[in-house]
Amino acid sequence: MSSMKVLRIAAGVEAASLLALMANVLTIHAASVSSLGGPVHGAAYLISIAVTFSLTATDASTGARALSFVPGIGGMLALRRLRPCHSGPRHLHRSARGRSDPVAGLSP
C-alpha cells in the first residue's frame, strides 16, 4: 500500500473519529464511545503525522509537516498540500465587467 493511500485513510479516520467524539460529547456522552473513539482518533492523528514526515523526508516541504500537526484535520490539510498538481480545467478569470470568462487569461 502506498504512503499516500495510508495518509488518505488515516486523514479520513482522524476527521471522522473527531466528529464522532464531538457528537458524543454534545449528545449522550456515552463512555464506551469515548473509550473507543479517543484511542482511534489519537492513533490516526499520530499516523497522519508520521506518514507526512515520511513523505516529505526528501522534500523541502515543511508546510505539509506543519499542517499535519493541526488536530482533527491536519491529515486532510497535509494531504491537500502534498497532492500533485494536475492538468485539470483551468480556473475561470474575471473579465473587466465582473463576469466569469473561461477564455480570459489563456495564452494561445
Side-chain angles (χ1 to χ4, degrees):
M1 188 178 308
S2 73
S3 295
M4 286 298 281
K5 187 167 187 166
V6 171
L7 181 58
R8 230 178 266 122
I9 292 168
V13 170
E14 179 187 6
S17 63
L18 181 65
L19 288 175
L21 287 168
M22 291 297 126
N24 181 46
V25 167
L26 294 174
T27 57
I28 58 174
H29 195 56
S32 60
V33 173
S34 297
S35 65
L36 177 66
V40 168
H41 174 70
Y45 177 65
L46 293 176
I47 290 169
S48 294
I49 292 170
V51 172
T52 300
F53 270 71
S54 74
L55 285 170
T56 59
T58 59
D59 195 2
S61 175
T62 57
R65 288 181 175 185
L67 288 172
S68 70
F69 284 101
V70 177
I73 60 168
M76 296 275 189
L77 294 173
L79 190 61
R80 183 178 173 120
R81 175 66 63 100
L82 292 172
R83 184 176 45 197
C85 295
H86 58 83
S87 58
R90 297 182 186 258
H91 295 289
L92 297 177
H93 296 292
R94 295 278 175 191
S95 67
R97 293 182 226 160
R99 291 182 283 165
S100 294
D101 187 5
V103 293
L106 297 179
S107 59

